[in-house]
């Protein structure tokens, strides 16, 4: 079985928990992003039960092409030759997605194969997520 959904907007990394004298808390931006992804994952499931067993998770992040790119570099970015080696970190973005796909899988330990990449997009910024049983 294969589940696919798209998270519109800029990729956001999972932020580290903050420790204060009053205790530890997760930053508000991370909580909001996780809630948004959970809602999209739940919608993609269409009422089905979470996947069982080992799964493959594919996360593809599409970033906007910077305005400072010239014509030649812009065409290289569209074709995939030039890729975004900038923040946010790929692994932190994947962690946010992985921790938020609870409606699709019972436990993120089910992910046995992980494929993640960043690309430039001439259309819209987004994250495309695919979860597939092995």
């Amino acid at each position: 079985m294969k589940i696919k959904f798209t998270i519109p907007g800029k990729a956001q990394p999972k932020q580290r928990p903050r420790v204060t004298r009053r205790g530890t808390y997760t930053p508000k931006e991370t909580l909001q992003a996780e809630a948004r992804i959970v809602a999209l994952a739940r919608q993609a499931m269409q009422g089905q039960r979470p996947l069982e067993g080992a799964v493959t998770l594919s996360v593809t992040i599409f970033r906007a092409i910077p305005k400072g790119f010239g014509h030649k570099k812009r065409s290289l970015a569209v074709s995939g030759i030039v890729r975004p080696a900038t923040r946010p970190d790929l692994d932190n973005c994947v962690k946010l997605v992985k921790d938020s796909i609870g409606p699709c899988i019972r436990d993120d330990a089910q992910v046995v194969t992980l494929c993640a990449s960043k690309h430039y997009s001439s259309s819209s910024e987004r994250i495309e997520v695919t979860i597939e049983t092995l």
Side-chain angles (χ1 to χ4, degrees), residues 1-133:
M1 179 176 199
K2 185 186 274 191
I3 300 162
K4 293 177 94 171
F5 63 96
T6 300
I7 305 162
K10 284 186 176 184
Q12 181 178 338
K14 181 160 185 149
Q15 298 174 347
R16 298 191 187 283
R18 304 289 187 233
V19 180
T20 65
R21 282 183 267 169
R22 296 183 180 177
T24 303
Y25 72 95
T26 302
K28 183 175 79 171
E29 297 83 13
T30 296
L31 292 174
Q32 290 172 341
E34 285 177 340
R36 199 171 109 222
I37 296 169
V38 166
L40 290 167
R42 191 171 285 132
Q43 183 180 10
M45 288 302 291
Q46 300 175 344
Q48 298 175 47
R49 297 178 56 92
L51 301 177
E52 299 281 340
V55 299
T56 296
L57 174 63
S58 176
V59 179
T60 308
I61 298 171
F62 291 93
R63 304 280 319 269
I65 298 173
K67 292 182 180 171
F69 278 16
H71 179 69
K72 183 176 180 182
K73 195 168 184 181
R74 177 176 287 278
S75 64
L76 292 173
V78 169
S79 66
I81 295 170
V82 173
R83 305 264 293 269
T86 59
R87 292 191 179 269
D89 292 356
L90 182 62
D91 58 332
N92 290 335
C93 294
V94 170
K95 181 155 180 53
L96 181 75
V97 171
K98 193 174 167 198
D99 290 346
S100 303
I101 56 173
C104 302
I105 59 176
R106 293 193 187 285
D107 185 0
D108 59 0
Q110 290 175 249
V111 178
V112 296
T113 305
L114 177 63
C115 179
S117 59
K118 290 194 297 187
H119 301 272
Y120 284 118
S121 171
S122 56
S123 57
S124 62
E125 291 194 65
R126 66 196 180 279
I127 301 173
E128 293 179 358
V129 179
T130 305
I131 307 161
E132 190 170 9
T133 56

